[in-house]
Amino acid sequence: MPSSVPPSFLDLLDRCTRSAVHLETRDVYAVDYERGPFADWRAGLRHDRADRASWWRPWLDVVTEAAGRGVTIRRARVVSEPVSEYTRYLYDNTFTNVAAGEQVRWLPRRRASELALPGNDFWLFDGQLVQWNHFAGDGSSQGPEVTKDPAAVKLGADAFEAVWDRATPHDQYDIH
């Protein structure tokens, strides 16, 4: 009997052979202001560029493995300016994503006004499958939704490429 449980994100990335693209459009995601990585960052902790072992695990290992088998991983972030505190936190830590093998670009929201963007963040795997990421107003995850619907795949692919074309590479984006 087939399972109705959708594949996990890690399963989707493991099955990926060519490309995984991620569009982020929120200025804040659920964060714990009292403890954890965001709280540590707010208290002044910054990753040591020379100490890769201390970086965000296991995500960076997953990215490194996928990139190592030839998967191109691109992430585009649409952000409001001036940026939120959370976006500054993301920016300060993005060098770890890049070191692991991701390409990351930033697009100020004001430059995205003419783009047709989906209502949710998403991942698109090998240009064939979309995982929508649903969030509540407070940024907490409401769970993913996976589809191979050709219209959804086209919407995601077109939206991502439109953002990517306008966006600034991480090493050139001035957050200040």
Side-chain angles (χ1 to χ4, degrees):
M1 173 183 227
S3 171
S4 63
V5 176
S8 73
F9 172 81
L10 292 178
D11 288 339
L12 294 172
L13 190 56
D14 282 347
R15 296 177 193 165
C16 196
T17 61
R18 296 183 322 275
S19 66
V21 301
H22 184 36
L23 182 63
E24 296 179 351
T25 60
R26 296 181 59 89
D27 288 318
V28 67
Y29 295 85
V31 295
D32 187 334
Y33 287 87
E34 303 302 320
R35 60 187 174 279
F38 183 66
D40 294 343
W41 176 86
R42 290 180 89 207
L45 178 69
R46 298 300 183 265
H47 285 299
D48 178 349
R49 290 179 183 265
D51 184 11
R52 289 179 72 110
S54 69
W55 300 352
W56 183 24
R57 302 286 187 224
W59 172 247
L60 297 174
D61 296 327
V62 169
V63 170
T64 299
E65 188 279 326
R69 58 186 165 79
V71 176
T72 300
I73 302 172
R74 297 184 295 158
R75 178 186 304 259
R77 292 177 169 145
V78 179
V79 296
S80 298
E81 292 180 324
V83 299
S84 69
E85 182 182 32
Y86 185 78
T87 298
R88 187 170 300 280
Y89 160 75
L90 290 177
Y91 180 85
D92 283 352
N93 290 293
T94 294
F95 77 91
T96 65
N97 299 70
V98 173
E102 282 189 56
Q103 300 170 44
V104 180
R105 293 189 181 182
W106 302 82
L107 181 64
R109 192 171 309 282
R110 64 178 158 41
R111 294 191 54 224
S113 297
E114 299 88 20
L115 302 180
L117 301 179
N120 295 291
D121 290 10
F122 65 88
W123 280 90
L124 175 63
F125 299 95
D126 288 334
Q128 299 176 350
L129 183 143
V130 174
Q131 177 182 290
W132 301 114
N133 296 318
H134 299 289
F135 295 95
D138 66 0
S140 61
S141 175
Q142 299 297 295
E145 175 187 356
V146 175
T147 182
K148 289 184 177 182
D149 175 68
V153 168
K154 182 175 179 359
L155 172 64
D158 290 350
F160 183 86
E161 293 305 329
V163 169
W164 190 258
D165 289 345
R166 288 186 183 199
T168 302
H170 176 69
D171 64 347
Q172 298 171 26
Y173 182 64
D174 183 8
I175 200 164
H176 301 100

